Amino acid sequence: MTALQTFKATAHLQDGVQVKARARNFEILIDEPAGLGGTDTGMNPVEALLASLGACQSIVARVYAPKFGVELEHFSVDVEGDIDLDGFFDRSDVRPGYSDIRYTFRIGTSSPEEKVEEFIRFLESKCPVGDTLANPVRLSLGSTIIERISAV
């Protein structure tokens, strides 16, 4: 038996730039701020990416803290990233994605600092979202399905 697991999500464009994203039985609404053409009814995709990184790091922290003997009274992650919007708006040749992402862990603990530092090094090596962002991944379009709509 292989440990490889495939996760799936679907994104369906709604009115304007709103997108209903689904995975398993869960749904989130993704939108853009008004200044970027949206109605500001949800996080935009690049904010959702930052939130996913912080959530993943938080989950890894919860799962592995006991292994390292680290008590977590509280744990949170502040994440921020820089994007040159000229890349997205096709105004220059800069890449459209993040150039830099930074995060800060906020840990409430009574555990010794050495244990916490060892735990943090491990945490950074085991977050799947962080690993995906930090290392090249094969990204490919599998197919395009054109559904013809009859004119009324």
Side-chain angles (χ1 to χ4, degrees):
M1 184 170 153
T2 179
L4 182 65
Q5 185 166 353
T6 301
F7 291 88
K8 296 180 180 186
T10 303
H12 185 80
L13 185 63
Q14 306 294 296
D15 292 332
V17 295
Q18 287 183 343
V19 175
K20 212 177 267 188
R22 294 186 56 87
R24 295 182 289 131
N25 295 319
F26 303 97
E27 186 175 277
I28 59 173
L29 185 65
I30 295 177
D31 195 5
E32 291 286 347
L36 292 175
T39 56
D40 206 20
T41 57
M43 286 185 264
N44 69 19
V46 294
E47 291 166 331
L49 180 73
L50 296 178
S52 292
L53 175 60
C56 186
Q57 291 168 326
S58 297
I59 291 167
V60 172
R62 176 67 73 209
V63 169
Y64 283 103
K67 175 182 177 181
F68 287 85
V70 173
E71 292 292 324
L72 292 181
E73 294 300 318
H74 65 81
F75 184 91
S76 65
V77 185
D78 298 325
V79 189
E80 64 181 15
D82 302 324
I83 291 180
D84 186 333
L85 291 178
D86 281 350
F88 172 72
F89 288 115
D90 200 27
R91 293 188 292 234
S92 79
D93 286 338
V94 298
R95 59 183 291 198
Y98 282 112
S99 58
D100 292 284
I101 296 176
R102 298 167 298 283
Y103 52 90
T104 301
F105 293 148
R106 296 182 185 275
I107 305 169
T109 185
S110 57
S111 299
E113 194 170 323
E114 322 72 69
K115 274 190 174 186
V116 174
E117 287 173 359
E118 179 187 11
F119 166 62
I120 292 304
R121 283 191 300 275
F122 179 84
L123 189 163
E124 288 187 295
S125 75
K126 290 300 172 200
C127 171
V129 175
D131 177 75
T132 301
L133 290 170
N135 297 290
V137 64
R138 289 183 304 273
L139 178 64
S140 60
L141 173 64
S143 63
T144 300
I145 299 168
I146 298 172
E147 299 172 344
R148 297 286 175 201
I149 306 298
S150 303
V152 179

